[in-house]
Amino acid sequence: MEQEITTRITTSLIVPFPTPRDKKFIYVLNAKDGKWSPPAGKINLFESFPQAGIREMAEETQSQVIIEYLIGVYYFRSEHGTPVINFSYATRPINGVPRPVRAENIEDIGVFDLATLRQLEREGKIRAGRVNVEQVEDYLAGKRLPPDAVKMYFS
C-alpha cells in the first residue's frame, strides 16, 4: 500500500528594493532555522496565490506590494522532505519600509544582490537552497507566465 503524502502549496515574492534598477531583493531571516528566504508562506483556504503573497509580505515585513506577474511554479522537496509547489510572483513595493515582525518569527530583513544570494546558498544559508535563488535568476532573465496560467474556481 502506497503512503499518501501531502504536498504543501506556497507562494513567494521576489521584491526588488528599492527599485528594479538596483537589482537587489528583499529576503527575510527565519528565526526557526536561521536561513534567508524571500517573503513567503502557505496559502489559506480559498485564498488566491497573489492574495497570499500580499498577506505574507505584510505579516513578515509590515510593508505592502503590488503583484506584477507570475514568474514561475517550482516543485521541490523541502529540507524536511515535504513536497512543495511554490508559486513565485514578481512584485513592486508600494508602502512602508520593510522591518522584521518578530511575532511572525522573522529575525531580520536583508536586501541582497544575486551574487550575494548565490554565496549565501553555497554557505547553506538560504531556505530551500537553489529554488529560492533560481526564482531571482528567472526574474532577472525576464521569465513570466501568462496572467491566465493559474485559474481559480472558488465562489
Side-chain angles (χ1 to χ4, degrees), residues 5 10 16 32 34 37 39-40 57 73-74 82 96 107 118 122 146-147:
I5 297 174
T10 63
K32 195 183 319 183
S37 70
M57 183 70 178
V73 180
Y74 303 83
T82 305
E107 286 293 318
R118 286 176 173 158
R122 284 191 293 277

Side-chain angles (χ1 to χ4, degrees), residues 13 15-18 24-30 35-39 57 60-61 98-100 106-113 116-117 120 126:
L13 303 179
V15 185
F17 193 80
K24 293 184 178 181
F25 305 91
I26 293 175
Y27 268 55
V28 296
L29 182 61
N30 298 279
K35 293 185 178 185
W36 294 96
S37 70
M57 183 70 178
E60 294 180 359
T61 71
R99 56 185 182 270
I106 302 302
E107 286 293 318
D108 200 3
I109 293 176
V111 179
F112 304 115
D113 62 16
T116 303
L117 290 171
L120 289 168
I126 298 285

